[in-house]
């Protein structure tokens, strides 16, 4: 008997917006390989429908909501949850504690829920007081009503045990180790500083932009990211790039290969995230062998080990550390090689996806749990380079994935 998982709380499949979307792009095909029917709730216009890497077995269910910074997660979560109650999958995988408000409905419908709690959202500086209270309440409801919890780091697990008395399963994020990549955008390998970040205060973006003015006196600086909604940090990056020929602001980069190449050839990658657990961008930077200067937090130390330079969140300290690393190729090589090796051993996607598969299966009724179908060694082309055309019986025989609107 088929087993069905619904994935809620991301921008959809396939989407390139952030860490959760990267996880779903990798996890959904893996689950399909191991015998799951997979549905992913998606926001209108947020997916790349003509993506050649799209797996045709994954069903996209388009939900509706209010696409603003303060209401998007709650509103899209509400419509997705109500649709899930109606469609009745065997288990729901839910991202973000803001969706905790809708867990009582899923619980009442006897749909098991596995929730990836993400970071400590109610401590993010980008949110106002009301939003922080909402995230905190969503976390309490998640602790009360979720069947199982996923923490992406030991540090996050400790916070939930201390703050909410809930245990769960610790599953990090994965990274893709790329092959040979050309130096991008006419840059010089090992000679430029790189920031890849959503432009929000808790990611130390403002401090890095201030430091960039100093770094750019001698070295190129590449900025990747934006707030997604405009604002002061976007304006500051735009002004900095306009006034300094050594600074490039690329905005959001959708092309994974270009982003991997930027990490691979950077002389110093700055990672300033402060309130998350295992950050997906950091894991991918490690997999690309990026020599890293990181904000000194318990989360970043857990992920990087001793393969980084750690600094306090001040512009002078950041500028000094980044400049020193750009001028020390031997240190660049040591840190980059160590980070890549750590990513290979601790943050491989196959391992991460297998852990998700195992956890989801624990919530299936006995009669449909069935034997696990191996996703590895089947003689097929690796998932990263395969365009799948297989469809299940309830999907169109043409090989075009179903995009269901609520």
């Amino acid at each position: 008997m088929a087993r069905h998982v619904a994935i809620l709380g991301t921008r959809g499949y396939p989407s390139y917006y952030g860490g959760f979307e990267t996880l779903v792009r990798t996890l959904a095909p893996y689950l399909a390989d191991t015998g799951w029917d997979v549905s992913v709730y998606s926001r209108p216009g947020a997916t790349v429908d003509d993506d050649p890497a799209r797996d045709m077995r994954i069903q996209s269910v388009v939900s509706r909501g209010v696409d603003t910074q303060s209401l998007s997660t709650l509103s899209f979560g509400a419509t997705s949850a109500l649709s899930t109650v109606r469609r009745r999958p065997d288990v729901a995988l839910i991202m973000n504690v803001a969706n905790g408000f809708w867990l009582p409905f899923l619980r009442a419908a006897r749909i098991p829920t596995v929730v990836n709690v993400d970071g400590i959202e109610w401590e993010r500086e980008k949110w106002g007081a009301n939003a922080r209270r909402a995230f905190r309440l969503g976390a309490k409801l998640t602790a009360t009503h979720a069947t199982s919890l996923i923490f992406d780091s030991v540090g996050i697990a400790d916070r939930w045990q201390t703050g909410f008395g809930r245990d769960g399963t610790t599953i990090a994020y994965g990274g893709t180790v790329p092959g040979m990549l050309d130096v991008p955008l006419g840059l010089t390998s090992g000679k430029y500083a790189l920031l890849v970040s959503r432009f929000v205060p808790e990611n130390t973006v403002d401090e890095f932009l201030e430091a960039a003015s100093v770094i750019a006196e001698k070295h190129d600086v590449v900025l990747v990211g934006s707030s997604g909604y405009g604002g002061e940090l976007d304006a500051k990056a735009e002004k900095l790039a306009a006034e300094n020929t050594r600074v490039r602001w690329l905005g959001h980069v959708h092309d994974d290969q270009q982003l991997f190449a930027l990490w691979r050839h950077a002389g110093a990658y700055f990672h300033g995230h402060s309130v998350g657990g295992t950050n997906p961008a950091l894991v991918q930077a490690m997999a690309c062998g990026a020599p890293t200067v990181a904000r000194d937090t318990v989360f970043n130390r857990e992920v990087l080990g001793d393969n980084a330079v750690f600094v306090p969140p001040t512009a002078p300290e950041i500028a000094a550390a980044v400049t020193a690393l750009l001028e020390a190729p031997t240190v660049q090589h040591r840190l980059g090689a160590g980070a890549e090796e750590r990513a290979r051993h601790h943050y491989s996607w196959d391992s991460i996806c297998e852990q998700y598969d195992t956890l989801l299966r624990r919530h299936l009724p006995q009669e449909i749990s069935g034997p696990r179908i191996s996703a590895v060694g089947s003689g097929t082309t690796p998932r990263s380079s395969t365009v799948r055309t297989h469809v299940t019986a309830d999907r169109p025989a043409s090989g075009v994935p179903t995009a269901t609107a609520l």
Side-chain angles (χ1 to χ4, degrees):
M1 183 181 295
R3 44 187 174 267
H4 178 201
V5 59
I7 302 177
L8 294 72
T10 76
R11 291 182 176 248
Y13 174 86
S15 174
Y16 291 79
Y17 179 76
F20 275 153
E21 287 73 23
T22 301
L23 170 63
V24 170
R25 287 204 321 273
T26 308
L27 177 61
Y30 183 98
L31 294 176
D33 284 346
T34 58
W36 290 88
D37 284 342
V38 184
S39 299
V40 181
Y41 282 86
S42 302
R43 300 184 188 183
T47 60
V48 184
D49 295 332
D50 60 350
D51 188 341
R54 179 173 187 158
D55 190 314
M56 299 302 180
R57 296 170 296 178
I58 311 306
Q59 184 181 35
S60 178
V61 184
V62 180
S63 60
R64 304 296 175 183
V66 181
D67 194 11
T68 65
Q69 185 174 17
S70 58
L71 294 176
S72 59
T73 300
L74 286 172
S75 60
F76 284 106
T79 57
S80 298
L82 292 173
S83 172
T84 301
V85 169
R86 186 174 70 250
R87 294 164 65 88
R88 303 193 66 81
D90 298 300
V91 60
L93 174 60
I94 300 168
M95 311 296 185
N96 197 318
V97 297
N99 292 302
F101 289 94
W102 321 123
L103 292 179
F105 298 101
L106 297 169
R107 183 177 181 179
R110 298 186 178 181
I111 298 171
T113 52
V114 178
V115 182
N116 184 320
V117 303
D118 200 16
I120 312 299
E121 285 288 336
W122 53 93
E123 292 184 3
R124 294 189 187 276
E125 295 177 42
K126 70 175 181 178
W127 301 120
N130 290 335
R132 292 185 188 187
R133 281 192 290 268
F135 275 113
R136 180 74 180 184
L137 179 55
K140 290 181 178 179
L141 290 167
T142 297
T144 301
H145 295 287
T147 311
S148 292
L149 302 181
I150 294 175
F151 311 119
D152 63 29
S153 73
V154 174
I156 294 294
D158 290 343
R159 290 290 301 270
W160 274 75
Q161 175 58 51
T162 301
F164 300 103
R166 277 295 303 260
D167 291 320
T169 303
T170 300
I171 307 177
Y173 290 98
T176 300
V177 178
M180 295 295 294
L181 295 168
D182 293 334
V183 184
L185 306 176
L187 296 161
T188 302
S189 185
K191 298 297 184 181
Y192 61 91
L194 175 67
L195 172 75
V196 179
S197 175
R198 193 167 301 162
F199 280 16
V200 291
E202 63 269 15
N203 290 351
T204 326
V205 175
D206 195 28
E207 293 84 352
F208 183 81
L209 293 177
E210 184 178 341
S213 298
V214 178
I215 299 166
E217 292 175 2
K218 297 181 179 180
H219 304 280
D220 291 335
V221 179
V222 179
L223 310 172
V224 176
S226 68
S227 68
Y229 297 92
E232 182 179 344
L233 291 175
D234 295 69
K236 188 170 182 177
E238 183 178 22
K239 183 173 185 292
L240 183 63
E243 295 177 349
N244 195 317
T245 57
R246 283 189 174 271
V247 178
R248 303 189 195 188
W249 180 36
L250 305 183
H252 186 73
V253 173
H254 295 273
D255 183 343
D256 275 353
Q257 293 307 301
Q258 184 183 58
L259 188 55
F260 292 175
L262 285 167
W263 270 315
R264 173 68 85 188
H265 292 285
Y269 162 61
F270 177 70
H271 184 81
H273 295 61
S274 63
V275 298
T278 299
N279 182 266
L282 178 56
V283 171
Q284 187 56 60
M286 292 167 63
C288 292
T292 300
V293 175
R295 178 168 173 167
D296 195 354
T297 71
V298 63
F299 307 117
N300 291 339
R301 283 187 177 272
E302 178 184 333
V303 176
L304 285 156
D306 59 0
N307 301 293
V309 177
F310 295 96
V311 295
T314 66
E317 294 273 7
I318 294 168
V322 169
T323 300
L325 185 54
L326 284 168
E327 296 172 357
T330 302
V331 180
Q332 287 180 22
H333 177 75
R334 175 174 61 81
L335 293 180
E340 182 176 337
E341 185 67 15
R342 186 172 176 85
R344 288 178 185 272
H345 279 81
H346 297 284
Y347 301 104
S348 74
W349 272 123
D350 274 342
S351 173
I352 300 306
C353 291
E354 183 177 9
Q355 292 175 67
Y356 269 90
D357 183 28
T358 299
L359 179 59
L360 291 170
R361 286 170 184 272
R362 292 177 189 165
H363 298 85
L364 290 173
Q366 185 64 35
E367 62 269 19
I368 65 168
S369 58
R372 184 178 184 276
I373 302 171
S374 175
V376 180
S378 61
T380 60
T381 307
R383 284 184 300 280
S384 61
S385 60
T386 301
V387 179
R388 292 171 181 76
T389 57
H390 172 76
V391 292
T392 55
D394 61 345
R395 288 171 175 75
S398 64
V400 178
T402 303
T404 304
L406 298 182

